[in-house]
Amino acid sequence: MQLNEAFRSREVTAPLVAEITRSLQHPVRIMEVCGTHTMAIFRHGIRSLLPEQITLLSGPGCPVCVTPAGHIDAFLAAACLPRVVLTTFGDLIRVPGSDGVSLATARSKGARVEIVYSPMDALALAQREPECTVVFAAIGFETTAPTIAATLIQARRLGVDNFLIIAAVKTMPAALDLLMDDPDLRVDGLLCPGHVSAVIGSKVYRPLVEKYRLACAVAGFEPADILTGLLSLIRQIHAGRPGVDNCYTRAVTEEGNARARFLMEEVFVPADSEWRGLGMIPASGLILRKEYQDFDGLQHLGIPLRATREPGGCRCGQILKGCLLPPDCPLYGASCTPLRPVGPCMVSNEGACAAFFRYSGHKESHRGSNQTTEP
Amino acid sequence: MCLAVPMQVVEVRKGSDELFDPGVALVAGDGISREVRLEMVDRIPVVGEYVIIHAGFAIRTLTEEEAAYNLSLMQRMAEVLEQEGRLPGASECS
Ligand code: SF4
């Protein structure tokens, strides 16, 4: 009976939207933390279904977007070395480094850059081409980190010695804590990431509930998943009883996935990490454990990691913090478009600027459309 | 990067070590079949069960009952959206 009720309440989107509208008593601000959520919200037109009093902000959950220019420069430096193949997830190759050059540009000038779907594909490439060194640009969050760890464990098992990674992996909890601590960012509820939560478990958000009285709901990526998550948040906010609601039980448990975390901890240790727009955040990244440093691409190839400036005029940093919406950036739709992106938020499928541009109908900046790059 | 539609396991190929080399599963669904790795899945599936996949790795095993419940939810959702003229986008998984 209860199962049946839950079934009915979640089986369609229209009743969910109606219920959200009925439940809403005052304006609420909700941040979706996951890039896949951002994209799904835009693609399914969820914003247009919701009452205007709900403000949805995109958070720092797109792995390509939060990778700082210094790391892009390091990937570029590796790609330009002789007999090195740089392997990467697709979106990353169009992100400009600090001097405007992207991996795609480097490739068109002869560097070997290969797009892979999984780090295991990069390892397979290393096995096929023993005369080359294959370097994997290791970006991602807690969902991707165990796949990278599993790949390195496999590389060691198979004795592959021409495979390296440049570790730029990040972890969510410290970054979320820092964001919520910002008095300028008013957020009432957090739509928590689906697959990251599958690994770290829904209980990880409890400190945010206690510290900031923040409503949290873990949601999947289908429209009804997202709407269910939003409805849960609105009910929690209005009842004044914030908690952690797991609306994605087909993938997420309270404890998370211990096997995945075991792999991660076997290979990586936490370290301070620089996030684009957010700066250096203590214990928010993963670096290779001593036992796995023979896979460290920076060390092996002698590539320095430099702090660099973000592209002039790009507001990605404030967009990743939920302080601005993409059309608030003066470059949006003018000198920055998906075809000629200035910042990573316009490159990645999961970036807020790209999603806004493709799906929202706003093709021009609110700040006038003819501005070019600021100094 | 990958939308969370469970896929059914049609074959499990065990590796040499339960922890570090657990092998791969063959999954099928929606006319596609592919291999997924089992290193990070919470529980090694058996044939007939379903897995949720992220970037070539299974991340969660669902029993047939759990998956059937979830799949029917998604199917109904798709039907309703279709009636409203708003088809949900295709899966992002390649
Ligand atoms: S529109 Fe372009 S330049 Fe502006 S914040 Fe977005 S990515 Fe950066």
Side-chain angles (χ1 to χ4, degrees), chain A residues 65-86:
Chain A
C65 305
V66 296
T67 301
H71 261 115
I72 308 283
D73 288 353
F75 302 149
L76 271 163
C80 293
L81 291 172
R83 282 191 309 282
V84 166
V85 187
L86 193 279

Side-chain angles (χ1 to χ4, degrees), chain B residues 15-87:
Chain B
S16 62
D17 179 293
E18 155 89 28
L19 210 52
F20 290 115
D21 183 32
V24 296
L26 224 64
V27 296
D30 264 345
I32 0 169
S33 92
R34 52 198 269 218
E35 225 180 65
V36 294
R37 304 194 63 96
L38 297 175
E39 277 90 345
M40 70 178 282
V41 73
D42 60 329
R43 170 172 72 74
I44 303 288
V46 296
V47 171
E49 288 193 314
Y50 287 73
V51 285
I52 289 183
I53 301 162
H54 182 92
F57 286 77
I59 63 170
R60 174 103 199 267
T61 296
L62 299 171
T63 63
E64 277 188 82
E65 295 73 42
E66 285 170 320
Y69 172 70
N70 278 293
L71 285 175
S72 67
L73 279 186
M74 273 189 275
Q75 246 148 27
R76 276 161 199 247
M77 221 155 59
E79 280 163 24
V80 170
L81 287 169
E82 201 166 10
Q83 278 162 22
E84 288 176 351
R86 300 176 49 110
L87 256 184

Side-chain angles (χ1 to χ4, degrees), chain A residues 314-316 319 329 331-332 336 342-346 353:
Chain A
C314 175
R315 299 284 197 272
C316 278
I319 286 167
C329 170
L331 308 190
Y332 176 86
C336 184
V342 173
C345 298
M346 190 59 98
C353 297

Side-chain angles (χ1 to χ4, degrees), chain A residues 134-208:
Chain A
V134 173
V135 181
F136 178 65
I139 65 160
F141 297 115
E142 287 94 330
T143 333
T144 310
T147 70
I148 299 165
T151 304
L152 295 186
I153 290 169
Q154 184 79 346
R156 174 153 297 167
R157 232 177 45 82
L158 298 170
V160 181
D161 59 4
N162 61 328
F163 180 68
L164 302 170
I165 70 163
I166 295 178
V169 184
K170 305 206 183 304
T171 50
M172 275 287 173
L176 289 178
D177 185 68
L178 179 107
L179 262 185
M180 296 308 141
D181 207 30
D182 184 344
D184 292 339
L185 176 76
R186 280 185 308 104
V187 174
D188 308 300
L190 203 62
L191 194 69
C192 302
H195 285 173
V196 163
S197 306
V199 172
I200 63 181
S202 60
K203 68 168 189 207
V204 164
Y205 305 104
R206 259 192 243 135
L208 295 177

